[in-house]
């Protein structure tokens, strides 16, 4: 009669680490961090909690691993052109991160936490290395490399987080609100402001309805790149 240890070993061999991570990402995509529970994982995978802990550790480690998996895939993105310039490389990385966070709305919070909590982890190091190499290729002096790369990272994280789900206190935020309705309401409210006190807000009222988040993001990258080239 097989022992419990042998049964556990066979089950661990059948259930792969990749299956666990893929399932965790699917749960996160469906319901955010609140949906990622050991109970949900064991139900989805038809296994015991021991198999999950065996492969990926506890829930926090699973969140970190899911984040690392998505970000590593995004960082592997290459520019469309074969003979890519440093600017092309930076835009490719920035857009890959933008698209990853748009596709996985839980990711913005976890990505920020990883960069803060684990500066030597693969997520932080991977992002800074991929962007930093291109900062050097742009001709930025080496003493300014950290400042330049940090500026890029801060802009990317800040910009993409505006389009992502905010974990934590979301009082007053409707996660199912229609984007067009939101901007219509915002532009109407801005239009109602006194034009003498708020001339700038009145000037951009029409633009808020028409803007594209991805194109706006690329405009910000262009502004940052222009500034970095001046550091030469």
């Amino acid at each position: 009669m097989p022992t419990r240890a042998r049964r556990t070993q066979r089950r661990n061999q059948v259930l792969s680490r990749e299956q666990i991570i893929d399932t965790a990402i699917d749960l996160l995509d469906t319901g955010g961090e609140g949906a990622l529970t050991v109970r949900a994982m064991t139900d989805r995978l038809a296994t015991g909690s021991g198999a999950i802990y065996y492969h990926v550790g506890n829930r926090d480690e699973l969140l970190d691993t899911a984040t690392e998996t998505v970000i590593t895939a995004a960082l592997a993105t290459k520019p469309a052109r074969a003979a890519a310039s440093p600017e092309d490389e930076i835009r490719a990385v920035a857009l890959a991160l933008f698209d990853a966070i748009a596709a996985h709305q839980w990711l913005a919070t976890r990505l920020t936490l990883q960069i803060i909590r684990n500066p030597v982890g693969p997520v932080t190091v991977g992002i800074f290395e991929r962007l930093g190499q291109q900062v050097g290729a742009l001709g930025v002096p080496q003493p300014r490399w950290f400042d330049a790369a940090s500026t890029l990272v801060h802009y990317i994280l800040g910009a993409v987080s505006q389009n992502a789900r905010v974990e934590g206190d979301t009082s007053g935020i409707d996660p199912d609100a229609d984007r067009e309705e939101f901007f219509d309401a915002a532009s109407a409210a801005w239009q109602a402001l006194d034009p003498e006190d708020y001339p700038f807000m009145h000037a951009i009222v029409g633009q808020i309805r028409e803007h594209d988040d991805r194109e706006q993001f690329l405009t910000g990258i262009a502004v940052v790149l222009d500034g970095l080239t001046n550091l030469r």
Side-chain angles (χ1 to χ4, degrees):
M1 184 173 183
T3 65
R4 180 180 298 179
R6 288 177 182 171
R7 287 198 301 270
T8 301
Q9 184 179 18
R10 276 204 302 270
R11 184 168 55 194
N12 289 341
Q13 289 171 347
V14 172
L15 181 65
S16 70
R17 187 171 187 270
E18 290 72 22
Q19 284 177 293
I20 294 173
I21 296 169
D22 288 346
T23 299
I25 292 172
D26 184 56
L27 286 170
L28 288 164
D29 288 345
T30 302
E33 288 193 27
L36 184 64
T37 64
V38 174
R39 176 65 179 272
M41 290 289 295
T42 56
D43 287 348
R44 184 73 67 90
L45 293 166
T47 188
S49 59
I52 296 172
Y53 294 137
Y54 173 83
H55 283 290
V56 295
N58 59 33
R59 181 177 181 274
D60 285 340
E61 291 171 319
L62 180 55
L63 280 165
D64 287 344
T65 302
T67 303
E68 179 184 336
T69 299
V70 176
I71 294 301
T72 299
L75 292 176
T77 303
K78 298 296 182 183
R81 295 193 300 173
S85 66
E87 291 88 347
D88 291 333
E89 292 279 358
I90 288 172
R91 279 190 287 269
V93 174
L95 277 178
L97 293 173
F98 181 95
D99 290 341
I101 290 176
H104 308 280
Q105 298 252 306
W106 53 272
L107 186 59
T109 301
R110 300 309 307 184
L111 176 55
T112 301
L113 287 174
Q114 282 227 23
I115 289 177
I116 294 171
R117 294 175 179 174
N118 193 9
V120 298
V123 169
T124 307
V125 171
I127 291 174
F128 270 88
E129 184 64 32
R130 181 79 192 275
L131 292 173
Q133 288 185 17
Q134 305 312 316
V135 165
L138 282 172
V140 174
Q142 187 169 351
R144 307 297 299 276
W145 282 2
F146 177 67
D147 290 343
S150 294
T151 298
L152 273 168
V153 172
H154 292 161
Y155 170 74
I156 291 169
L157 292 183
V160 297
S161 295
Q162 291 184 22
N163 299 311
R165 178 184 299 146
V166 180
E167 299 287 352
D169 181 10
T170 56
S171 56
I173 299 175
D174 180 4
D176 299 318
D178 180 79
R179 181 181 184 277
E180 186 174 346
E181 290 179 0
F182 171 81
F183 284 124
D184 282 346
S187 59
W190 291 359
Q191 186 71 54
L193 295 171
D194 187 329
E196 292 187 4
D197 292 334
Y198 301 97
F200 174 78
M201 301 302 285
H202 271 262
I204 65 171
V205 160
Q207 297 173 19
I208 187 175
R209 290 192 183 97
E210 301 167 0
H211 88 280
D212 178 88
D213 291 336
R214 208 165 183 265
E215 290 300 319
Q216 188 180 68
F217 177 71
L218 279 176
T219 298
I221 291 294
V223 170
V224 175
L225 288 176
D226 285 345
L228 294 184
T229 56
N230 289 329
L231 292 177
R232 294 181 295 192

